Amino acid sequence: MPHTADVRVEAWAPSRAECLAEAVTAVVASFADTGGLTPTGTAGFDVPAGRDEDLLVAVLDEVVFRLETEGTLPVATEVTGTSDGGLRVRWRTTGTDAVEAVGAVPKAVALHGLRFGRDATGWSCAVTLDV
């Protein structure tokens, strides 16, 4: 990235929900090695209906928020749509003390260059993280 304190992640999958889950995995993988970990907790939250890009930002903002306030991060993510167009996100989690740091921890999700949508092969997204 042009700015040394930025990390760019991309994700893709057949469905919107799967692409969101892959984006969470990519963000976590940018700074922590969770391979081989057994989750020690669960967490969940709902995201109200909105534009696809706003949903992506909301889910990734929650990763950053819980990392900063609870010291937890998702090891596995399940996303389902709700009847009103929103999302239900469920995580299996672990504490940050159980993971090895492999990169800079994200501080925020940048809106510049944000992309999330459907293409010929499914869904894809790209997002920049301020670290």
Side-chain angles (χ1 to χ4, degrees), residues 2 8 13 22-23 26 33 41 62-63 87 90 99 104 109 117 119 122 124:
R8 182 93 168 152
E22 288 295 326
D33 180 5
E62 192 72 17
V63 173
L87 302 172
R90 299 295 174 250
V99 300
V109 178
D119 59 27
S124 66

Side-chain angles (χ1 to χ4, degrees), residues 21 24-25 28 34 39 41 43 73-78 89-94:
V24 171
T25 299
V28 172
T34 60
L73 55 97
V75 176
T77 302
E78 179 185 328
V89 180
R90 299 295 174 250
W91 286 333
R92 290 191 311 252
T93 62
T94 192

Side-chain angles (χ1 to χ4, degrees), residues 10-126:
E10 295 185 30
W12 53 93
S15 72
R16 180 177 82 156
E18 290 170 309
C19 189
L20 286 162
E22 288 295 326
V24 171
T25 299
V27 166
V28 172
S30 76
F31 67 92
D33 180 5
T34 60
L37 287 179
T38 300
T40 57
T42 59
F45 59 99
D46 292 336
V47 179
R51 295 179 330 123
D52 291 328
E53 293 86 356
D54 295 336
L55 297 174
L56 174 63
V57 171
V59 171
L60 299 181
D61 276 345
E62 192 72 17
V63 173
V64 173
F65 175 76
R66 297 209 184 197
L67 179 64
E68 291 177 350
T69 62
E70 299 174 356
T72 61
L73 55 97
V75 176
T77 302
E78 179 185 328
V79 179
T80 54
T82 60
S83 60
D84 65 354
L87 302 172
R88 178 156 293 130
V89 180
R90 299 295 174 250
W91 286 333
R92 290 191 311 252
T93 62
T94 192
T96 54
D97 57 341
V99 300
E100 179 182 344
V102 296
V105 175
K107 299 297 181 198
V109 178
L111 300 179
H112 177 72
L114 180 68
R115 181 180 50 79
F116 183 41
R118 187 180 205 123
D119 59 27
T121 60
W123 286 78
S124 66
C125 66

